[in-house]
Amino acid sequence: RSRSTVEKECQILRTLEKSGVPHVEKCIGPPNEYRYEDGRVMIALTPVVESPRGITTSIQDVDSGNAQQIAVKCVVETMVGMLRANIITVDVQPLIEMNSGQVLFIDFTEARNIFEGSDGSADAAGIVGFCSEMMALIPESLRDFTISYLKERVESVEMEGVVFGDAVKNVLESIWND
């Protein structure tokens, strides 16, 4: 990948880490030159995901019951955390451990700040797209559990003094009122 793409992804990952967003990969070290091709750089990411049974991208493939609920919690915690950090992406890529339901979100090359637009206003369409992608990861059978946990997480964050902007709040409310 190009230097600017890699540096931007690493900066996004550092912002997410600094903001305490859970279940996302971390960029370790600065981008390094890729010695086999001029102008390209690489970054080291952690953690490495290992699983005796396998990794999936679908919560439906995860062992039913508690493991699926853990996966849902991971998705919701990451979504709320990213919104809190004012970061969105339209290319959501989870790795889900099939036994435990633990989730790691990877590949943040398409991620950006909610307020990246030229006029400084929130990217309402981007927020809708991000939240829609995150919610699409969750099976309909877990919707009630998801909505309840989403409300709980948002309330918890707001009790910490975080104020979500109108664009974010409108999308979150539309999810649980839908």
Side-chain angles (χ1 to χ4, degrees), residues 27-41:
C27 178
I28 51 177
N32 294 304
E33 295 296 325
Y34 184 67
R35 63 181 166 169
Y36 302 109
E37 192 173 332
D38 288 340
R40 293 184 69 102
V41 295

Side-chain angles (χ1 to χ4, degrees), residues 84-135:
R84 178 183 183 176
N86 293 319
I87 302 292
I88 55 174
T89 186
V90 292
D91 188 20
V92 174
Q93 296 190 35
L95 297 177
I96 308 168
E97 202 282 322
M98 291 175 66
N99 287 342
S100 70
Q102 288 298 318
V103 179
L104 179 70
F105 287 92
I106 63 166
D107 190 357
F108 285 81
T109 54
E110 300 296 322
R112 65 187 186 282
N113 189 291
I114 290 171
F115 300 102
E116 203 170 82
S118 59
D119 65 357
S121 64
D123 177 3
I127 295 165
V128 169
F130 168 65
C131 290
S132 295
E133 285 226 3
M134 294 294 276
M135 294 303 292

Side-chain angles (χ1 to χ4, degrees), residues 7 13 70 102 124 159:
E7 287 175 345
L13 291 171
I70 289 169
Q102 288 298 318
M159 287 178 65

Side-chain angles (χ1 to χ4, degrees), residues 50-86:
E50 296 181 27
S51 172
R53 189 157 155 250
I55 301 293
T56 184
T57 59
S58 172
I59 293 175
Q60 297 245 15
D61 296 338
V62 174
D63 291 345
S64 62
N66 194 41
Q68 286 187 346
Q69 289 184 348
I70 289 169
V72 167
K73 286 182 175 183
C74 291
V75 170
V76 168
E77 290 164 2
T78 302
M79 181 175 79
V80 172
M82 287 180 66
L83 292 170
R84 178 183 183 176
N86 293 319

Side-chain angles (χ1 to χ4, degrees), residues 1-11 14 27-34 40-44:
R1 296 185 272 174
S2 71
R3 174 175 289 283
S4 62
T5 300
V6 170
E7 287 175 345
K8 179 182 174 233
E9 180 178 16
C10 202
Q11 182 58 44
R14 287 192 175 120
C27 178
I28 51 177
N32 294 304
E33 295 296 325
Y34 184 67
R40 293 184 69 102
V41 295
M42 60 186 174
I43 53 176

